[in-house]
């Protein structure tokens, strides 16, 4: 049974926007930290953003600050990632993830997250 499922990936041009959405099973959605990660071809997985269970404590990687916005909707059990001013370096497979615990760690490490979606591809062309 899938706990998490992403959607919304696709292609965009430099400067464009995409919105990713992740539907999360009630458990682990309620009361836990949610995050977005990405893996670019030939690179290690990296944390993009983490949002605590209350939705008010958020950590963004420096590479996306000011361009990406995360939000969670408890009525829909979703966590969305609005990506604006996309750059070719944003090209990657994006994954949503959940970590047990109200707060997310300030440093996003994949090994701290126990639930993962299957990923959705984002491609940004110049």
């Amino acid at each position: 049974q899938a706990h998490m499922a992403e959607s919304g990936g696709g292609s965009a041009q430099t400067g464009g926007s995409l919105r990713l959405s992740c539907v999360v099973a009630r458990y682990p959605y309620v009361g836990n930290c949610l995050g977005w990660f990405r893996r670019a071809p030939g690179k290690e997985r990296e944390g993009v953003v983490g949002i605590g269970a209350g939705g008010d404590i958020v950590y963004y990687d420096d590479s996306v600050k000011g361009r990406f916005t995360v939000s969670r909707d408890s009525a829909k059990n979703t966590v969305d990632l609005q990506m604006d001013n996309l750059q070719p370096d944003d090209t990657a497979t994006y994954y949503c993830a959940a970590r047990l615990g109200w707060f997310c760690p300030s440093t996003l490490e994949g090994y701290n997250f126990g639930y993962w979606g299957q990923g959705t591809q984002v491609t940004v062309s110049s």
Side-chain angles (χ1 to χ4, degrees):
Q1 181 180 357
H3 290 91
M4 314 184 72
E6 305 93 339
S7 62
S11 299
Q13 292 190 327
T14 297
S17 298
L18 286 172
R19 187 178 183 90
L20 306 182
S21 185
C22 179
V23 178
V24 186
R26 180 168 175 79
Y27 178 86
Y29 185 91
V30 176
N32 293 308
C33 155
L34 301 175
W36 284 95
F37 290 76
R38 65 186 180 186
R39 186 192 298 271
K43 294 186 178 181
E44 297 290 319
R45 181 178 59 193
E46 63 178 358
V48 176
V49 60
I51 180 169
D56 56 344
I57 305 297
V58 180
Y59 297 107
Y60 290 96
D61 184 78
D62 287 345
S63 64
V64 305
K65 281 181 181 177
R67 301 189 298 121
F68 290 11
T69 305
V70 68
S71 60
R72 55 191 295 167
D73 186 336
S74 60
K76 300 178 182 178
N77 281 9
T78 57
V79 56
D80 290 356
L81 184 65
Q82 177 66 38
M83 305 185 295
D84 297 318
N85 191 20
L86 283 163
Q87 302 298 313
D89 284 349
D90 295 319
T91 295
T93 301
Y94 284 72
Y95 301 87
C96 62
R99 175 184 184 273
L100 299 184
W102 189 268
F103 298 107
C104 294
S106 57
T107 300
L108 298 171
E109 299 287 354
Y111 61 78
N112 285 327
F113 289 72
Y115 298 87
W116 293 85
Q118 80 286 355
T120 186
Q121 178 67 36
V122 170
T123 303
V124 183
S125 58
S126 56

